[in-house]
């Protein structure tokens, strides 16, 4: 018997944390991300004249479906029966940007931060995909958790969230 | 800040409805569909002599597995821990058809109509796939909800279900 | 050694047909389906006032993504590197219906009939999902292959396609 | 109406067993498997010098993610909100083997035997994949259930588990 | 800049090997596995009287669909457009076993060993799932590669394959 | 026939662009992203003492597997037989950050920008997941395309890539 590998396992190998004994509670998470682009790209998204179609409509569907795939994508995430996912876009022309807000809710034993963050990331990637023919330089910026409610660690609210 | 996109979001963008506050109850749905074909195709399915194998056996497995993929396929569907899925086939030789009945059950906060309908649709598509080499003209007809039990909207039973 | 099971396998078990020796050619398939509903439901879809959002926009995305999942859903389908998927909706108010046309293309060794049919089916199921709160009686009708180009079996065109 | 197909359905077609009326309880399962290889292969895995990287680290992630896909892979498995998955490796140099232990837990209405067995199988397949360039003769041996707690059938413990 | 992590990456992190410059060739792999059970379990599988249905029919579909998910399950596997997957079962009553043979083919730049092995593993797990209510002690044994054709490393044939 | 919906389709609905007539060529894309955290978080990642295990090892596997799911996540992406995916991490202690570089390659008819960007995004989300118990304020920054080779639009190299 080789102790090294066994021991290494206890030291450093990944595992999906045991949450069997946690009581299901209502949990909410809100994540944020921004995608910055050329002014012309933003104008065309707003005018609905991108060749690939209604960019934000497609990004919204992609983000919501992406949130449902979170535990398939993030190795140590627990599968969760999400009870709500929503995405809201805000155009910020003075920053040549679209702000993306993703919300996820569940009544469960672990939080939904990853689901909210995945919704925002997949929505942003979809915007990139649908506009990349005219603007390869777009950047996804500041993907982060804005707020989290419920669970043992309680209420989390990002500092300076107002400036976002 | 551009109000248009935000406002558009409130107007028309898709969202996954918040069901966090709903109480889990037992829910059942039964869906129906028919696939119509050449008499020869039906005979060979019944005789088990299609080249691709036991058509209805494969369609049954595909429909059940499809029901489990419903929330991956239908964008605004909530993921649900299904507690039962079943499919029943009835050959209707005088109509050159196979009738498909799909049942899904869950104890949860939303209904399982989509799971039952997806089970029927995937089973029908699988029958098409396995017979298309000899009969490209098959038609999937009248996929619909037969009955639904449980949840806020209560009991639904399709009118004229007897004639189906 | 038990011959029965082995023999049964040769008789009737499913298999994924060997297409290794087929030459890749360009292939296209067009499928059709209709979803029939209450006149009020159709009006609200067209007016964009359904509570769950832009119904046909979501159905379009779902159908296209569904086509890409075809080989995950239909057991004996070969995985294919689709080169095009499109869906077109036509409202038919005199029939209280929306007609759905799905097109798939590939350069490959098997046809894309199943991909086109899956696109139509998933789009129709999505319309059902997004309108079921107001109209549980909707029916998906006449899902079928309209046309197919390429491959050994050549050109297929459904009889009476004009009347659809 | 053809009784044969209906009847065949009651006789022999697969179905996903109805567990709607079962009460959720805590359930645990532990599965085991062994992969046997050339001594040189085991040495290189332990030394971390396989060309494809940290073999057991990747196998651990793959096994955990595989456990979450169980109901996608095994047709009649119910989807379950797993609350824990873990994998432990033990090198057994005198047998030229790595032993794999997979644990799954859930609070639910069906057991997690299949999730534990799938975790072990996918981890073993991943080890094979990452070492096959130097050792195509590796064998996956004795994949089995070691222990199971919770549920109607109660505690199961494999005979002779000590010898494993 | 921290060299340690970068360097660690070159040392030990996993990567998906670059096969861009390899020429597509026809490749075949055959894998084997055995599942051992109580004599009564085998009799009931052969008689088709298991409560969950036609065990081997379902296992066949599951194994074929599992082969198509190989690159989703095995982290460093390349996605491949499989051109054939087949599974063959042989009952071996004197060993209380069912032997499973899985074949996969592709015209591509990497081999299909993992696809054949995954087909066998998922088929075996499905047999376990469908019989576990009466026989929790079943064992999956000797999952291995029997033969491989095509590709740079040429023909591989397992020693003593005849005895399997 | 209602022209509005048809016309709307031509105007604005999403579609998966037809690439049937494009010639397969070798294509490469490199994407970048940074995740910023508390100094203590970075130290623990580098020291390998995070409770959930080897953070970057897991993130690497997740990013590579995520790249293979790109066409499942991004609605209008074509499925592609990726021939290489790699991820490289660089700790940047003076910025309290880990830089992530993702590379994807294919011989195909569309580019792999989305695959490289998805690899980076999923790797970054995984780092967030594995460290969020101690640092909820981590930010994913500047996810963008660094370079792209092959295809009709030719070589793209981000301006000021050196400063990244």
């Amino acid at each position: 018997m080789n102790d090294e590998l066994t021991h290494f396992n206890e030291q450093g190998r990944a595992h999906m944390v045991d949450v069997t004994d946690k009581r299901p509670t209502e949990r909410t998470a809100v994540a944020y991300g921004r995608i910055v682009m050329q002014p012309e790209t933003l104008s065309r998204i707003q005018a609905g004249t991108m060749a690939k179609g209604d960019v934000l409509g497609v990004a919204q569907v992609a983000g919501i479906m992406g949130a449902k795939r979170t535990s398939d994508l993030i190795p140590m995430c627990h599968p969760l029966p999400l009870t709500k996912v929503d995405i809201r876009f805000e155009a910020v022309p003075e920053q040549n940007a679209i702000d993306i807000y993703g919300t996820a809710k569940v009544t469960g034993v672990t939080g939904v931060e990853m689901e909210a963050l995945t919704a925002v990331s997949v929505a942003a990637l979809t915007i990139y995909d649908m506009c990349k023919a005219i603007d390869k330089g777009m950047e996804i910026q500041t993907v982060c958790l804005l707020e989290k409610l419920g669970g043992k660690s309680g209420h989390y609210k990002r500092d300076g969230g107002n400036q976002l």
Side-chain angles (χ1 to χ4, degrees), chain A:
Chain A
M1 189 70 53
N2 183 306
D3 281 335
E4 224 159 68
L5 286 173
T6 314
H7 161 73
F8 192 42
N9 191 14
E10 299 309 312
Q11 272 194 330
R13 293 245 181 271
H15 57 112
M16 193 169 129
V17 175
D18 190 347
V19 296
T20 316
D21 293 336
K22 295 173 81 175
R23 208 168 44 84
T25 55
E26 187 180 321
R27 291 149 189 274
T28 305
V30 184
Y32 166 83
R34 165 173 286 185
I35 181 163
V36 181
M37 58 195 72
Q38 294 298 318
E40 164 73 5
T41 310
L42 181 58
S43 302
R44 289 182 60 179
I45 290 176
Q46 294 186 269
T49 59
M50 293 300 301
K52 278 197 180 178
D54 172 18
V55 173
L56 300 186
V58 177
Q60 174 111 358
V61 175
I64 290 171
M65 295 182 86
K68 293 192 278 184
R69 310 298 290 275
T70 303
S71 70
D72 273 355
L73 293 171
I74 311 298
M76 303 303 140
C77 263
H78 298 80
L80 287 176
L82 291 171
T83 51
K84 173 187 164 148
V85 183
D86 203 359
I87 292 178
R88 190 162 52 87
F89 297 104
E90 282 182 25
V92 189
E94 63 275 20
Q95 305 282 347
N96 298 320
I98 292 172
D99 282 356
I100 309 172
Y101 296 85
T103 302
K105 292 182 77 172
V106 78
T107 301
V109 292
T110 62
V112 285
E113 298 96 309
M114 295 317 301
E115 282 74 9
L117 288 162
T118 301
V120 166
S121 295
V122 174
L125 289 168
T126 300
I127 294 174
Y128 188 96
D129 178 50
M130 297 190 71
C131 302
K132 70 179 190 290
I134 63 163
D135 188 358
K136 284 184 181 49
M138 285 174 290
E139 270 186 39
I140 302 171
Q141 291 180 345
T142 324
V143 175
C144 61
L145 181 67
L146 281 191
E147 190 167 5
K148 164 190 178 304
L149 287 159
K152 196 179 60 178
S153 70
H155 191 180
Y156 167 83
K157 202 165 159 46
R158 187 181 179 77
D159 286 340
N162 291 349
Q163 283 85 330
L164 281 178

